[in-house]
Amino acid sequence: MTHQRNTQYKLRFLDDKDHEKLKQKGLKEERSMNWLINQAIKQFLNQESAKA
């Protein structure tokens, strides 16, 4: 089985306000929403592994 480096996921926001906040943060920091989401996931995983 080949390891796939770039897996795509479809993201659904439960709240349009959260989506808009993320878009605005991306514009302010000159980052894509994808980059922001990936950073948030990495931060979450690091916090969870620190708890273990």
Side-chain angles (χ1 to χ4, degrees), residues 10-37:
K10 182 181 257 188
L11 178 67
R12 293 184 190 167
F13 285 90
L14 297 177
D15 188 342
D16 288 341
K17 290 178 186 175
D18 291 338
H19 183 239
E20 187 59 35
K21 286 178 189 177
L22 189 61
K23 284 195 319 188
Q24 292 305 315
K25 184 170 180 61
L27 289 172
K28 181 180 175 184
E29 296 184 14
E30 297 183 353
R31 297 288 187 174
S32 68
M33 287 192 349
N34 185 64
W35 187 89
L36 293 172
I37 291 166

Side-chain angles (χ1 to χ4, degrees), residues 1-2 5 16 24 27 29 32 38 40 43 45 47 49-50 52:
M1 185 165 129
T2 305
R5 182 169 166 77
D16 288 341
Q24 292 305 315
L27 289 172
E29 296 184 14
S32 68
N38 278 296
Q43 183 178 359
L45 292 174
Q47 288 173 350
S49 66

